[in-house]
Amino acid sequence: RQCYLLFPIRRSKLSLEQLNALTPSEFHKVFENVVECWPEAAIFCSAMLPFKSFEAMITIFENYLQRLSMENKLRILRLHPDLAGKLLDTHQLTEESSLEQASAGLDKLTPGDKKRLTMLNEEYKEKFGFPFVVCVREASKFEAILAGVTERINNNPELELEIGIGEVKT
């Protein structure tokens, strides 16, 4: 059986045996951006090698995120780029984020749609202190992303923090 790694989007196919044969340094390099700009997750999870299954590895990453302090969860969410924001426009996103946003068509928005999303992003950030985070692989249509931010902006900060971390896990 092979694992098709969605994150990082190096599109590598690794068998469980190959995954478990990675040195900690190699594991860090391959998985350093599983959590956007937070290589500490890969460092922590590499200490759990070897994994019994791919699902076990994913669970370890998810548990790592869930057990973080509120402060570190906020830090992780604040590291995420705005959807269709300036970093996309200036080609400064990570490879993974660039591919994800392009897969949702966020790199080809009309000026009107871009303005709507930017205004919602700013309103969301003002309320919660971090950008709207959604797994665009799961919400691949612009309309679904707009509906998500419009709905979630009504949440309380505690709930939205947990939803945001849940999106990071997806």
Side-chain angles (χ1 to χ4, degrees), residues 103-133:
S103 75
L106 298 180
D107 58 336
K108 294 179 177 27
L109 294 177
T110 66
D113 284 344
K114 186 168 182 62
K115 184 176 180 181
R116 271 180 41 211
L117 185 55
T118 299
M119 287 177 15
L120 285 168
N121 277 335
E122 290 304 316
E123 184 180 343
Y124 183 95
K125 278 195 300 191
E126 188 174 310
K127 179 174 181 178
F128 297 112
F130 52 86
F132 178 71
V133 176

Side-chain angles (χ1 to χ4, degrees), residues 44-67:
F44 174 86
C45 293
S46 71
M48 306 300 174
L49 283 163
F51 301 108
K52 291 183 180 187
S53 65
F54 295 112
E55 293 78 16
M57 179 189 68
I58 292 166
T59 298
I60 289 169
F61 271 102
E62 290 174 343
N63 289 341
Y64 167 82
L65 285 169
Q66 199 57 44
R67 291 183 178 135

Side-chain angles (χ1 to χ4, degrees), residues 7 33 36 81 88 93-102 136:
F7 263 105
N33 209 40
E36 183 93 16
L88 177 66
L93 290 174
T94 63
E95 178 184 4
E96 294 85 3
S97 287
S98 293
L99 290 170
E100 278 195 337
Q101 291 201 27
V136 295

Side-chain angles (χ1 to χ4, degrees), residues 1-5 12-20 51-58:
R1 207 176 124 182
Q2 294 189 325
C3 176
Y4 187 66
L5 301 176
S12 302
K13 287 186 180 183
L14 294 175
S15 68
L16 183 60
E17 294 77 24
Q18 290 169 320
L19 173 69
N20 285 328
F51 301 108
K52 291 183 180 187
S53 65
F54 295 112
E55 293 78 16
M57 179 189 68
I58 292 166

